[in-house]
Amino acid sequence: MNSYFIKRILYLIPTLIGASILIFFLYSLIPGDYVDTDPNLTAERKAELKELYGLDQPVITRYFTWVGNLFQGDLGYSLQFQRPVTEVLGNYIWSSFFVALASLIITWFLAIIIGVISATRHYSLFDSTVTFLVFAAMATPSFFLGLIMIKFFAVDLGWFPAGGMITTGSNFTGLEYFKDLAEHMILPVLVLVMLSVGGLTRYFRTNMLEVVRQDFVRTARAKGLKERVVIFKHAFRNAMLPAITLFAFELPALFSGAIITEQIFNWPGIGAIYMQAFTVRDYPLLMGFTMFIAVLTVISNLIADLLYGVADPRVRLK
Amino acid sequence: MEETTVQTEHMAKYRKSNLWKQVFRRLVKNKMAMTGLGFLIFIFVFCMIGPFFSPYANGGVDAININQPPSAEHWLGTDALGRDVLTRLMEAGRISLTVGLGAMVMSVFIGTLLGVLAGFYQGIVDQIIMRTADVLMTIPGLPLLFIMAAVMSEWKVPAENRLYIVMVMLSIVGWSGLARLVRSQILSLREREYMHATESLGLRDRRKLFVHLLPNIVPLLIVVGTLSVGGAILSESVLSYFGLGVVPPTASWGNMINAANSLIDFQNRPWLWIPPGVAIFLTVISINLLGDGLRDAIDPKMKSR
């Protein structure tokens, strides 16, 4: 176990180095930079600024400076916000986090319930409907779903605000503020839930179906246990095991922001900031954030593997 | 010797046709998959042949009839340049379907090639290929696509050729998952007895690969390939919607939805952006139903139930 753990951690190093190289050189491939996009600057001022931001250095030197700073927890300096990238991330990441967390909780809750019921009533009308809806959810482009929701619920029915995080020009406090925030959150969260609940339901349903056919479930039934006990105490727990892995995989999504959904709903989260930084060529912000997500992905993969070994001793870690 | 090879080849052919016949029989029984297939054929005919029957083909601009709601002449209305939306929908479909299929072919080709190489030769080749795949999978797909799109936008590719760029981008992002799958298949296949037999018979690598290993992963490729067309169409629509994929005047389903970015079109002219969205939805759901049916038909063991 211990040697496995060490091996896995060592294994992260080349992956992260590879990711940092790929990220840095991809961004340095994009022609034009922050200074070039501003048409109001004179040639001398441009040269001055480029020197200040280190844009006149060769790519290799810039890469090593960047990686060196990463090790000190310095993700760079956002050109657009004129603040350190870590500070910008800190400012915007939480609004993304709450939307992601709310949709994650609702998605898992719904997916577990629907998946289990669907599996226990295999081939019933409920099951077929669920299967169809799952396919529908996986075939809808996220931005289109967002647009349809805004058109229907915000424009036509006027039930919810069309976008943003709080009503513009309002200065609510306390409970009022919270209510306003919640109203703005409903549609984006709904879209995110609709998009992800399908795949997850399918996953739980498949797992549950697999477990229900196993011998120990038959034994439990043969012992004369109530069906509810068989399903929830014996089958359900085993079907949940692989979900632990999946849960760890969801970790990066909590912080990465939903680029498309945030863009459509004008939600001031990290995804929307990412798109904005993209238009003005704010590379330090883009690179810092992409690297941050890459690190999170790698760590969550590791956590997934380790947790699975802890939860299910039948899986031997080599 | 000559005769035996002919004979084995004959037998192989016989067995193969039999397998596909079985698959076909199972597939026909699957109502969901057949509905999907039917829809797909309809969409294909609609997009490929439809424009020939339209009086408004080839982007006919009509300054008098701009922004008309759906009517008898224009079933889905007209856009800001007076172009018939239904015709544009068909023409956009050609592009979106082509991108989806092209991206699938390319990523299946790259993924299979690299996966087979990694699984078959192992060692350093395997290490290089799989570590590259790992790195690609560490970076979120959408930002990666956006970056590539920005780089490639600077190449000043003419609008009508942008779809090939999009195909290349999607296959660069798409190959890694398939390569992993193929590699693991090859790794398990090479431990089978018949592969040990090819070893002791002293067959050449090329023969082992093309005659004994590749045919065994074809079913997997067909299923994954079918399903990935849907994914590619979705990704293309996202890119084109954000103006980073296929760009006007060439229409694609994604960039038609772009009309929704104008507030007036979004609120008052839903015929401009809802039909392409519905078209994407129907196409992708049909592809997924067919792919799922194919998986069940090809290998009942893989059945998702």
Side-chain angles (χ1 to χ4, degrees):
Chain A
M1 179 71 196
N2 255 341
S3 69
Y4 173 81
F5 188 71
I6 292 164
K7 211 163 88 186
R8 276 305 308 260
I9 292 199
L10 288 178
Y11 186 73
L12 295 185
I13 297 169
T15 314
L16 284 177
I17 293 176
S20 72
I21 292 176
L22 186 64
I23 289 169
F24 188 88
F25 287 96
L26 267 176
Y27 282 110
S28 64
L29 271 179
I30 310 181
D33 52 44
Y34 184 69
V35 178
D36 286 335
T37 48
D38 191 342
N40 299 326
L41 295 173
T42 60
E44 296 92 65
R45 182 67 186 142
K46 272 186 184 175
E48 222 177 279
L49 281 175
K50 284 199 178 195
E51 202 189 320
L52 180 69
Y53 294 134
L55 290 169
D56 56 342
Q57 306 277 328
V59 181
I60 303 285
T61 326
R62 273 158 56 198
Y63 171 72
F64 281 108
T65 323
W66 182 65
V67 170
N69 288 339
L70 282 185
F71 274 110
Q72 295 159 28
D74 177 8
L75 292 175
Y77 195 78
S78 165
L79 305 169
Q80 171 199 3
F81 291 93
Q82 293 293 327
R83 288 215 180 104
V85 171
T86 35
E87 203 185 308
V88 178
L89 291 183
N91 284 344
Y92 287 96
I93 223 158
W94 296 109
S95 58
S96 288
F97 176 78
F98 287 119
V99 171
L101 186 70
S103 52
L104 183 79
I105 294 171
I106 299 173
T107 306
W108 275 69
F109 184 72
L110 286 179
I112 290 177
I113 293 178
I114 301 173
V116 169
I117 295 178
S118 189
T120 49
R121 302 192 189 158
H122 200 195
Y123 296 130
S124 67
L125 181 65
F126 181 82
D127 187 32
S128 317
T129 319
V130 166
T131 309
F132 180 76
L133 288 178
V134 164
F135 272 102
M138 291 198 292
T140 318
S142 47
F143 64 97
F144 184 65
L145 183 63
L147 290 170
I148 289 281
M149 299 297 255
I150 296 177
K151 168 83 177 141
F152 191 67
F153 287 113
V155 176
D156 292 351
L157 291 174
W159 287 358
F160 304 110
M165 196 161 128
I166 43 169
T167 311
T168 334
S170 68
N171 37 10
F172 296 129
T173 45
L175 208 64
E176 285 274 274
Y177 173 81
F178 185 75
K179 192 172 155 266
D180 192 41
L181 190 68
E183 268 176 8
H184 282 82
M185 258 175 83
I186 289 176
L187 281 186
V189 169
L190 189 61
V191 166
L192 289 175
V193 168
M194 283 170 79
L195 289 172
S196 50
V197 80
L200 204 61
T201 305
R202 191 178 158 87
Y203 180 79
F204 286 130
R205 178 171 170 274
T206 315
N207 274 349
M208 196 66 189
L209 281 174
E210 225 137 73
V211 172
V212 164
R213 288 182 309 129
Q214 281 182 18
D215 288 342
F216 72 89
V217 173
R218 193 181 306 138
T219 312
R221 287 203 176 114
K223 281 196 299 188
L225 293 181
K226 279 194 198 106
E227 186 63 16
R228 203 191 313 154
V229 180
V230 174
I231 295 295
F232 287 101
K233 220 169 172 183
H234 293 244
F236 181 70
R237 285 185 179 185
N238 278 282
M240 281 301 107
L241 273 180
I244 295 171
T245 327
L246 209 62
F247 200 77
F249 282 130
E250 300 257 17
L251 185 71
L254 282 178
F255 298 96
S256 65
I259 296 181
I260 298 170
T261 313
E262 284 177 13
Q263 188 73 11
I264 298 280
F265 285 98
N266 223 347
W267 185 263
I270 203 70
I273 292 300
Y274 189 90
M275 280 301 278
Q276 198 185 323
F278 198 78
T279 353
V280 298
R281 306 270 191 258
D282 186 355
Y283 296 144
L285 181 59
L286 292 173
M287 292 192 298
F289 178 62
T290 317
M291 195 62 210
F292 171 67
I293 295 301
V295 172
L296 271 184
T297 311
V298 168
I299 294 175
S300 59
N301 283 2
L302 177 71
I303 295 177
D305 280 5
L306 295 176
L307 270 186
Y308 197 68
V310 175
D312 190 350
R314 284 172 299 184
V315 181
R316 291 256 173 77
L317 302 174
K318 274 175 274 175
Chain B
M1 188 64 202
E2 190 73 38
E3 211 178 285
T4 47
T5 26
V6 171
Q7 212 170 21
T8 44
E9 261 174 29
H10 176 73
M11 275 170 63
K13 211 180 263 168
Y14 176 72
R15 210 174 45 235
K16 216 193 268 174
S17 73
N18 207 9
L19 167 76
W20 293 115
K21 236 184 238 165
Q22 272 181 21
V23 166
F24 184 70
R25 227 177 290 142
R26 268 186 238 133
L27 188 65
V28 171
K29 273 191 210 149
N30 187 332
K31 268 184 230 144
M32 295 266 251
M34 290 323 281
T35 317
L37 183 64
F39 246 99
L40 272 184
I41 294 174
F42 168 74
I43 290 165
F44 254 88
V45 171
F46 174 75
C47 295
M48 300 296 165
I49 304 175
F52 293 117
F53 293 96
S54 161
Y56 312 106
N58 300 319
V61 176
D62 183 354
I64 302 159
N65 292 314
I66 60 167
N67 292 326
Q68 296 287 318
S71 61
E73 292 89 61
H74 297 281
W75 291 357
L76 289 176
T78 59
D79 65 6
L81 294 172
R83 293 173 296 193
D84 180 55
V85 174
L86 183 65
T87 312
R88 236 174 117 63
L89 190 68
M90 297 175 196
E91 285 163 356
R94 285 183 179 178
I95 303 291
S96 293
L97 291 172
T98 314
V99 170
L101 286 172
M104 178 273 281
V105 170
M106 270 193 250
S107 51
V108 165
F109 179 77
I110 304 174
T112 312
L113 182 73
L114 295 179
V116 167
L117 286 179
F120 191 74
Y121 290 107
Q122 294 175 320
I124 185 81
V125 184
D126 183 27
Q127 284 295 322
I128 293 173
I129 294 174
M130 291 334 282
R131 288 305 77 78
T132 316
D134 280 351
V135 169
L136 268 178
M137 289 176 131
T138 332
I139 302 173
L142 206 55
L144 195 61
L145 280 175
F146 284 167
I147 304 166
M148 281 198 286
V151 175
M152 292 180 180
S153 298
E154 298 296 326
W155 295 350
K156 305 275 180 271
V157 183
E160 65 265 27
N161 290 338
R162 277 293 285 261
L163 73 154
Y164 301 109
I165 299 282
V166 178
M167 280 182 205
V168 172
M169 276 166 28
L170 293 178
S171 53
I172 293 176
V173 178
W175 67 269
S176 49
L178 182 66
R180 262 192 192 175
L181 219 59
V182 169
R183 173 178 172 271
S184 68
Q185 279 278 314
I186 295 284
L187 283 181
S188 88
L189 285 175
R190 56 179 293 151
E191 299 306 318
R192 300 273 180 87
E193 277 83 2
Y194 72 87
M195 285 313 290
H196 292 309
T198 62
E199 195 70 43
S200 46
L201 284 170
L203 294 186
R204 258 180 278 146
D205 280 1
R206 206 174 45 167
R207 205 175 149 79
K208 277 195 228 168
L209 275 175
F210 288 100
V211 182
H212 298 280
L213 283 175
L214 272 181
N216 276 304
I217 57 168
V218 166
L220 174 82
L221 294 182
I222 289 179
V223 173
V224 177
T226 311
L227 291 171
S228 79
V229 177
I233 290 178
L234 283 179
S235 305
E236 181 272 329
S237 72
V238 172
L239 280 175
S240 300
Y241 172 74
F242 284 110
L244 293 163
V246 179
V247 289
T250 312
S252 89
W253 285 334
N255 71 29
M256 283 180 79
I257 303 179
N258 214 321
N261 280 344
S262 133
L263 196 65
I264 298 174
D265 287 344
F266 176 67
Q267 295 191 343
N268 301 333
R269 301 181 188 124
W271 64 86
L272 291 178
W273 58 273
I274 290 185
V278 174
I280 298 173
F281 172 73
L282 287 178
T283 311
V284 176
I285 202 172
S286 309
I287 292 172
N288 288 349
L289 286 174
L290 178 65
D292 220 52
L294 270 173
R295 175 173 52 202
D296 294 353
I298 284 175
D299 187 356
K301 270 184 296 182
M302 288 201 288
K303 200 171 174 175
S304 58
R305 281 169 297 263

PDB file of all heavy atoms in Angstrom, chain B residues 108-121:
ATOM      1  N   VAL B 108     -10.717   8.017 -34.824  1.00  0.00           N
ATOM      2  CA  VAL B 108     -10.649   6.557 -34.772  1.00  0.00           C
ATOM      3  C   VAL B 108      -9.335   6.078 -35.381  1.00  0.00           C
ATOM      4  O   VAL B 108      -8.665   5.196 -34.835  1.00  0.00           O
ATOM      5  CB  VAL B 108     -11.862   5.911 -35.492  1.00  0.00           C
ATOM      6  CG1 VAL B 108     -11.620   4.440 -35.752  1.00  0.00           C
ATOM      7  CG2 VAL B 108     -13.114   6.083 -34.663  1.00  0.00           C
ATOM      8  N   PHE B 109      -8.948   6.704 -36.490  1.00  0.00           N
ATOM      9  CA  PHE B 109      -7.702   6.303 -37.140  1.00  0.00           C
ATOM     10  C   PHE B 109      -6.503   6.548 -36.209  1.00  0.00           C
ATOM     11  O   PHE B 109      -5.722   5.636 -35.927  1.00  0.00           O
ATOM     12  CB  PHE B 109      -7.520   7.071 -38.457  1.00  0.00           C
ATOM     13  CG  PHE B 109      -6.247   6.736 -39.165  1.00  0.00           C
ATOM     14  CD1 PHE B 109      -6.127   5.546 -39.868  1.00  0.00           C
ATOM     15  CD2 PHE B 109      -5.160   7.599 -39.114  1.00  0.00           C
ATOM     16  CE1 PHE B 109      -4.951   5.220 -40.509  1.00  0.00           C
ATOM     17  CE2 PHE B 109      -3.972   7.274 -39.756  1.00  0.00           C
ATOM     18  CZ  PHE B 109      -3.874   6.079 -40.459  1.00  0.00           C
ATOM     19  N   ILE B 110      -6.387   7.774 -35.696  1.00  0.00           N
ATOM     20  CA  ILE B 110      -5.252   8.094 -34.826  1.00  0.00           C
ATOM     21  C   ILE B 110      -5.287   7.231 -33.560  1.00  0.00           C
ATOM     22  O   ILE B 110      -4.283   6.634 -33.167  1.00  0.00           O
ATOM     23  CB  ILE B 110      -5.259   9.592 -34.416  1.00  0.00           C
ATOM     24  CG1 ILE B 110      -5.272  10.479 -35.650  1.00  0.00           C
ATOM     25  CG2 ILE B 110      -4.054   9.926 -33.546  1.00  0.00           C
ATOM     26  CD1 ILE B 110      -5.424  11.948 -35.346  1.00  0.00           C
ATOM     27  N   GLY B 111      -6.466   7.154 -32.952  1.00  0.00           N
ATOM     28  CA  GLY B 111      -6.604   6.407 -31.700  1.00  0.00           C
ATOM     29  C   GLY B 111      -6.255   4.937 -31.879  1.00  0.00           C
ATOM     30  O   GLY B 111      -5.553   4.346 -31.051  1.00  0.00           O
ATOM     31  N   THR B 112      -6.739   4.331 -32.975  1.00  0.00           N
ATOM     32  CA  THR B 112      -6.457   2.919 -33.215  1.00  0.00           C
ATOM     33  C   THR B 112      -4.978   2.700 -33.468  1.00  0.00           C
ATOM     34  O   THR B 112      -4.345   1.822 -32.878  1.00  0.00           O
ATOM     35  CB  THR B 112      -7.245   2.409 -34.442  1.00  0.00           C
ATOM     36  OG1 THR B 112      -8.587   2.831 -34.315  1.00  0.00           O
ATOM     37  CG2 THR B 112      -7.189   0.922 -34.540  1.00  0.00           C
ATOM     38  N   LEU B 113      -4.428   3.543 -34.353  1.00  0.00           N
ATOM     39  CA  LEU B 113      -3.021   3.394 -34.702  1.00  0.00           C
ATOM     40  C   LEU B 113      -2.149   3.464 -33.449  1.00  0.00           C
ATOM     41  O   LEU B 113      -1.354   2.558 -33.158  1.00  0.00           O
ATOM     42  CB  LEU B 113      -2.620   4.495 -35.687  1.00  0.00           C
ATOM     43  CG  LEU B 113      -1.177   4.447 -36.174  1.00  0.00           C
ATOM     44  CD1 LEU B 113      -1.014   3.289 -37.152  1.00  0.00           C
ATOM     45  CD2 LEU B 113      -0.771   5.752 -36.833  1.00  0.00           C
ATOM     46  N   LEU B 114      -2.333   4.536 -32.662  1.00  0.00           N
ATOM     47  CA  LEU B 114      -1.482   4.721 -31.489  1.00  0.00           C
ATOM     48  C   LEU B 114      -1.773   3.680 -30.415  1.00  0.00           C
ATOM     49  O   LEU B 114      -0.860   3.165 -29.773  1.00  0.00           O
ATOM     50  CB  LEU B 114      -1.653   6.135 -30.931  1.00  0.00           C
ATOM     51  CG  LEU B 114      -1.169   7.245 -31.872  1.00  0.00           C
ATOM     52  CD1 LEU B 114      -1.383   8.607 -31.261  1.00  0.00           C
ATOM     53  CD2 LEU B 114       0.306   7.050 -32.215  1.00  0.00           C
ATOM     54  N   GLY B 115      -3.063   3.335 -30.252  1.00  0.00           N
ATOM     55  CA  GLY B 115      -3.422   2.335 -29.259  1.00  0.00           C
ATOM     56  C   GLY B 115      -2.820   0.979 -29.586  1.00  0.00           C
ATOM     57  O   GLY B 115      -2.291   0.278 -28.719  1.00  0.00           O
ATOM     58  N   VAL B 116      -2.889   0.593 -30.869  1.00  0.00           N
ATOM     59  CA  VAL B 116      -2.329  -0.682 -31.297  1.00  0.00           C
ATOM     60  C   VAL B 116      -0.807  -0.685 -31.108  1.00  0.00           C
ATOM     61  O   VAL B 116      -0.231  -1.623 -30.563  1.00  0.00           O
ATOM     62  CB  VAL B 116      -2.701  -0.987 -32.764  1.00  0.00           C
ATOM     63  CG1 VAL B 116      -1.875  -2.125 -33.311  1.00  0.00           C
ATOM     64  CG2 VAL B 116      -4.179  -1.321 -32.864  1.00  0.00           C
ATOM     65  N   LEU B 117      -0.180   0.408 -31.539  1.00  0.00           N
ATOM     66  CA  LEU B 117       1.280   0.501 -31.393  1.00  0.00           C
ATOM     67  C   LEU B 117       1.670   0.350 -29.923  1.00  0.00           C
ATOM     68  O   LEU B 117       2.577  -0.404 -29.574  1.00  0.00           O
ATOM     69  CB  LEU B 117       1.792   1.837 -31.928  1.00  0.00           C
ATOM     70  CG  LEU B 117       1.831   1.997 -33.447  1.00  0.00           C
ATOM     71  CD1 LEU B 117       2.344   3.372 -33.825  1.00  0.00           C
ATOM     72  CD2 LEU B 117       2.706   0.919 -34.074  1.00  0.00           C
ATOM     73  N   ALA B 118       0.947   1.085 -29.055  1.00  0.00           N
ATOM     74  CA  ALA B 118       1.280   1.058 -27.633  1.00  0.00           C
ATOM     75  C   ALA B 118       1.082  -0.328 -27.045  1.00  0.00           C
ATOM     76  O   ALA B 118       1.925  -0.839 -26.307  1.00  0.00           O
ATOM     77  CB  ALA B 118       0.431   2.077 -26.878  1.00  0.00           C
ATOM     78  N   GLY B 119      -0.045  -0.963 -27.398  1.00  0.00           N
ATOM     79  CA  GLY B 119      -0.354  -2.261 -26.822  1.00  0.00           C
ATOM     80  C   GLY B 119       0.519  -3.365 -27.376  1.00  0.00           C
ATOM     81  O   GLY B 119       0.870  -4.320 -26.681  1.00  0.00           O
ATOM     82  N   PHE B 120       0.878  -3.234 -28.648  1.00  0.00           N
ATOM     83  CA  PHE B 120       1.598  -4.319 -29.304  1.00  0.00           C
ATOM     84  C   PHE B 120       3.091  -4.269 -29.024  1.00  0.00           C
ATOM     85  O   PHE B 120       3.712  -5.268 -28.706  1.00  0.00           O
ATOM     86  CB  PHE B 120       1.344  -4.270 -30.814  1.00  0.00           C
ATOM     87  CG  PHE B 120       1.832  -5.483 -31.535  1.00  0.00           C
ATOM     88  CD1 PHE B 120       1.143  -6.688 -31.420  1.00  0.00           C
ATOM     89  CD2 PHE B 120       2.963  -5.438 -32.331  1.00  0.00           C
ATOM     90  CE1 PHE B 120       1.585  -7.816 -32.080  1.00  0.00           C
ATOM     91  CE2 PHE B 120       3.403  -6.564 -32.989  1.00  0.00           C
ATOM     92  CZ  PHE B 120       2.722  -7.762 -32.864  1.00  0.00           C
ATOM     93  N   TYR B 121       3.672  -3.083 -29.119  1.00  0.00           N
ATOM     94  CA  TYR B 121       5.120  -2.989 -28.953  1.00  0.00           C
ATOM     95  C   TYR B 121       5.539  -2.728 -27.513  1.00  0.00           C
ATOM     96  O   TYR B 121       6.677  -2.975 -27.150  1.00  0.00           O
ATOM     97  CB  TYR B 121       5.697  -1.924 -29.895  1.00  0.00           C
ATOM     98  CG  TYR B 121       5.631  -2.368 -31.325  1.00  0.00           C
ATOM     99  CD1 TYR B 121       4.719  -1.821 -32.200  1.00  0.00           C
ATOM    100  CD2 TYR B 121       6.462  -3.387 -31.788  1.00  0.00           C
ATOM    101  CE1 TYR B 121       4.638  -2.257 -33.510  1.00  0.00           C
ATOM    102  CE2 TYR B 121       6.384  -3.829 -33.090  1.00  0.00           C
ATOM    103  CZ  TYR B 121       5.475  -3.266 -33.958  1.00  0.00           C
ATOM    104  OH  TYR B 121       5.396  -3.710 -35.249  1.00  0.00           O
TER     105      TYR B 121
END
